[in-house]
């Protein structure tokens, strides 16, 4: 059994001690855009990197249910409530596909959950921001799911088969999430003065944290170079962030809302938007779990795990009873 280990992989040099032929064959398959499958040989550092990234992705999906769940009982109409409920259930499903993909690498679900609860595993910084108004639910769909799709479309071509296949379905669902968020904000942006102000305030608070979702800048991203070589990551943090900015600015203009960045400007020469400086101090503070929201998020997950233990026990007892009957 593989024990979950979030320490840094030793980089490709550690793999040199492993069988050189198998390593060469592995590298050739990755270079040929072949998928690596669970039973295939893989360098230990590749396995570790995948477990880290896939499980952190799974944790993000599940922790991401919490800020939205906060608004389920306060959705402004039955229609909005049904949509939000469906979206949150989708996120739970994404977590399950991703935990299952991580388990194919030899780690157990319990080990992964323990790493989240003990704070050893990370989850996306974006979910440590509070949802203060209904407009935040629209902003999460539009910006947070929008940023997630930008990253996940690229991950459909990641080199590990189970992760790539999980992404295909996740991307389909995320595009519905992005559209429902945009549509909810469009209603507010075209509504009363107070609703419009609420939409602008949500954009002001979610814009910069959404840009941080893509991770640190490329020159300060310790995992990127190796992950790109292994084709776990297909594009860099900065490339994906830029693509998101370029796609989202015209969407904000269509809503009649202003991006809270005075330095934002179309650059004719590069054919991209230039933007202001991201507050990386804030990003690293949120990654370290500073602030009350992070503690609440983890406590909510621990409470859910402990209070619902009876469901897991009942399911396991039922499965054991069925297999005893079948054996008799
Ligand atoms: N938050 O070397 P780097 C969703 C960490 S959820 C926290 O660039 P890497 C949704 C990073 O882990 C979508 N930590 O790392 C759900 C690393 O620390 P460790 C979530 C971050 O892995 C519900 C360190 O910073 N999507 O869609 O090469 C409702 C250095 O970074 C963050 C995914 O998880 C962050 N934002 O690249 C609505 C996508 N960024 O682990 C929506 C899959 C960086 O070395 N993940 N760190 O201690 C990825 O693509 C990559 O893991 C990342 C980071 C681009 C996020």
């Amino acid at each position: 059994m593989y024990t979950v280990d979030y320490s840094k992989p030793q980089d490709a040099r550690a793999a040199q001690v492993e069988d050189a032929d198998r390593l060469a064959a592995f590298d050739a398959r990755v270079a040929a855009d072949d998928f690596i499958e669970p039973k295939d040989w893989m360098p230990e550092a590749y396995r570790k990197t995948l477990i880290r990234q896939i499980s952190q992705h799974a944790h993000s999906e599940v922790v991401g249910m919490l800020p939205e769940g906060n608004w389920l009982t306060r959705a402004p109409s039955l229609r909005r409530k049904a949509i939000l409920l469906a979206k949150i259930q989708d996120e739970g499903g994404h977590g399950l596909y991703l935990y299952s993909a991580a388990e194919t690498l030899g780690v157990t679900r319990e080990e992964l959950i323990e790493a989240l609860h003990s704070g050893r595993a990370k989850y996306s910084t974006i979910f440590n921001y509070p949802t203060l108004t209904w407009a935040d639910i629209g902003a999460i769909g539009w910006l947070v799911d929008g940023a997630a799709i930008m990253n996940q479309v690229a991950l459909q071509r990641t080199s590990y088969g189970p992760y790539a296949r999980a992404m295909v379905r996740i991307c389909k669902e995320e595009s519905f999430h992005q559209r429902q968020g945009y549509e909810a904000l469009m209603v507010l942006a075209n509504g009363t003065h107070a609703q419009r102000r609420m939409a602008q305030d949500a954009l002001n608070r979610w814009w910069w944290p959404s840009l941080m979702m893509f991770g640190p800048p490329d020159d300060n991203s310790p995992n990127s170079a190796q992950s790109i070589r292994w084709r776990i990551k297909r594009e860099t943090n900065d490339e994906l962030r830029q693509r998101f900015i370029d796609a989202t600015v015209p969407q904000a203009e269509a809503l009649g809302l202003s991006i809270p960045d005075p330095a934002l400007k179309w650059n004719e020469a590069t054919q991209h938007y230039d933007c202001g400086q991201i507050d990386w101090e804030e990003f690293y503070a949120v990654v370290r779990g500073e602030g009350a929201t992070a503690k609440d998020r983890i406590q909510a997950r621990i409470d859910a795990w402990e209070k619902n233990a009876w469901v897991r026990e009942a399911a396991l007892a039922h499965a054991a009873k069925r297999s005893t009957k079948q054996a008799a």
Side-chain angles (χ1 to χ4, degrees):
M1 177 159 312
Y2 189 91
T3 304
V4 67
D5 175 1
Y6 283 90
S7 63
K8 291 269 182 290
Q10 295 280 301
D11 83 24
R13 279 190 302 280
Q16 283 172 3
V17 294
E18 299 181 274
D19 180 69
D21 289 346
R22 287 192 300 186
L23 186 57
F26 170 87
D27 286 343
R29 286 185 61 190
V30 169
D33 270 341
D34 235 6
F35 284 126
I36 305 299
E37 297 297 341
K39 288 187 176 156
D40 295 338
W41 181 89
M42 60 188 82
E44 200 47 29
Y46 175 83
R47 183 191 299 275
K48 268 175 92 169
T49 299
L50 279 171
I51 291 176
R52 177 183 65 79
Q53 179 168 325
I54 300 173
S55 65
Q56 293 185 1
H57 194 163
H59 299 324
S60 303
E61 300 282 357
V62 172
V63 175
M65 298 165 79
L66 298 170
E68 293 183 298
N70 191 32
W71 278 88
L72 268 178
T73 54
R74 292 176 288 162
S77 68
L78 184 57
R79 175 174 172 266
R80 291 286 174 205
K81 181 172 178 157
I83 294 170
L84 184 57
L85 197 55
K87 178 185 190 303
I88 294 171
Q89 284 176 342
D90 284 352
E91 309 298 1
H94 299 174
L96 294 181
Y97 315 148
L98 289 163
Y99 283 128
S100 300
E103 284 172 295
T104 64
L105 292 154
V107 64
T108 67
R109 184 79 58 100
E110 286 71 21
E111 288 172 305
L112 296 171
I113 301 287
E114 193 281 324
L116 173 68
H117 292 177
S118 66
R120 277 190 303 128
K122 295 190 169 73
Y123 58 88
S124 183
T125 41
I126 194 78
F127 301 117
N128 283 340
Y129 291 85
T131 39
L132 302 180
T133 71
W134 171 253
D136 288 12
I137 297 303
I140 289 183
W142 172 36
L143 299 173
V144 174
D145 287 272
I149 297 172
M150 211 47 97
N151 173 291
Q152 289 167 170
V153 163
L155 288 175
Q156 290 178 110
R157 293 179 294 114
T158 190
S159 57
Y160 188 56
Y163 192 22
R165 288 189 287 276
M167 280 304 126
V168 174
R169 178 156 176 189
I170 291 178
C171 282
K172 287 190 179 136
E173 293 176 349
E174 298 288 29
S175 56
F176 146 70
H177 298 169
Q178 195 268 356
R179 274 155 193 261
Q180 66 80 36
Y182 191 71
E183 193 261 345
L185 268 194
M186 195 186 287
V187 169
L188 295 177
N190 290 313
T192 63
H193 183 63
Q195 287 173 321
R196 201 176 172 70
R197 234 184 21 223
M198 197 160 83
Q200 181 63 56
D201 172 60
L203 174 56
N204 293 349
R205 284 180 292 104
W206 289 92
W207 174 252
W208 293 104
S210 299
L211 300 188
M212 294 174 196
M213 276 179 78
F214 294 92
D218 293 351
D219 56 10
N220 211 10
S221 161
N223 302 300
S224 274
Q226 182 60 70
S227 286
I228 294 267
R229 273 198 290 278
W230 277 327
R231 303 199 179 184
I232 291 175
K233 282 167 89 163
R234 302 304 307 243
E235 284 170 89
T236 70
N237 300 356
D238 286 336
E239 284 165 353
L240 291 168
R241 187 173 9 253
Q242 185 65 55
R243 187 166 314 143
F244 172 75
I245 293 168
D246 291 346
T248 310
V249 172
Q251 294 170 3
E253 280 167 6
L255 290 176
L257 299 178
S258 322
I259 302 276
D261 178 359
L264 190 78
K265 196 165 174 278
W266 177 251
N267 183 327
E268 203 50 48
T270 61
Q271 292 289 299
H272 292 294
Y273 282 94
D274 292 335
C275 68
Q277 187 55 39
I278 295 173
D279 182 351
W280 292 112
E281 290 300 315
E282 175 180 319
F283 169 78
Y284 288 113
V286 180
V287 169
R288 287 193 299 272
E290 289 171 16
T293 319
K295 289 186 186 69
D296 291 350
R297 298 281 185 249
I298 290 299
Q299 196 52 51
R301 291 310 317 155
I302 294 172
D303 290 348
W305 182 256
E306 288 174 355
K307 283 186 192 141
N308 298 318
W310 68 271
V311 178
R312 292 191 299 279
E313 283 156 17
L316 285 173
H318 178 70
K321 205 167 161 190
R322 260 181 57 176
S323 59
T324 318
K325 257 192 193 162
Q326 276 165 359

